[in-house]
Amino acid sequence: MRLVKLTEAEDIANAFEKMSSTIIQQSVARDITIGYQGGNETVTAYWHPQLNFWSRLDSVVNPDKIFCTFGTGEALVGQTHSITIETNLFKEGGSWAIGGAFAKDLVTGKVHLVHTGKISGSKGINMNNFLDRIPNGKRWTIHRIKKEIIKIGSIEDDDFVPCLHDFILDVEKFKKEMTGK
């Protein structure tokens, strides 16, 4: 597998449309409140009853970024939910300043959702500690730039949503191990 990051706005928009339609198709839309450091907001989330996680997918609210946030458990109206992981994406360009990206496999032509491992939180919750716990089979290097990333799954494969769920659970497990909760 030889992965290259998508950087063109049209390619990223097309990949996001494919990914979000796959996620939404298998979910129930609900307006929920998500909390984060410094505040909270009410958003439309897509809850996956079979896998018990929710997604917030928003390409409109910010001119430069696409928000892709995920949490575990049922998305219940009237409760504030914590974000487990963000795989936010830049709408164009090659920056790795945020966690998520799309990368194309030069061998198969498939597009994958990938993550840098960049996470934050309380003491010990950081990219280096997280990457140390990710199995080698899920870690890849971006072709030509030698950037190590986590391959979440191909947005074109039938098992994309379960692969995304597994990644969210990996993050949740790591955070619980680091905080002792």
Side-chain angles (χ1 to χ4, degrees), residues 46-114:
Y46 302 96
W47 176 57
H48 304 270
Q50 295 82 7
L51 298 173
N52 201 27
F53 77 96
W54 55 266
S55 310
R56 176 206 184 184
L57 307 165
D58 189 332
S59 65
V60 178
V61 75
N62 187 298
D64 301 317
K65 289 186 212 172
I66 300 169
F67 291 107
C68 301
T69 55
F70 306 96
T72 58
E74 183 175 354
L76 297 170
V77 176
Q79 290 186 9
T80 300
H81 299 275
S82 297
I83 296 169
T84 302
I85 186 69
E86 299 178 31
T87 59
N88 298 332
L89 310 152
F90 282 117
K91 290 183 178 178
E92 70 178 318
S95 174
W96 289 98
I98 56 180
F102 290 114
K104 185 175 188 171
D105 183 340
L106 294 175
V107 176
T108 65
K110 289 184 177 184
V111 174
H112 297 265
L113 178 64
V114 301

Side-chain angles (χ1 to χ4, degrees), residues 108-153:
T108 65
K110 289 184 177 184
V111 174
H112 297 265
L113 178 64
V114 301
H115 197 275
T116 62
K118 185 177 194 171
I119 62 174
S120 60
S122 59
K123 186 177 181 178
I125 298 177
N126 59 52
M127 183 171 80
N128 290 334
N129 285 342
F130 182 57
L131 287 174
D132 285 347
R133 286 170 175 76
I134 295 296
N136 286 337
K138 293 184 180 181
R139 291 164 54 174
W140 294 89
T141 301
I142 293 293
H143 185 62
R144 291 189 213 124
I145 64 167
K146 306 300 185 224
K147 171 78 175 160
E148 187 174 50
I149 53 88
I150 301 162
K151 181 179 70 74
I152 297 170

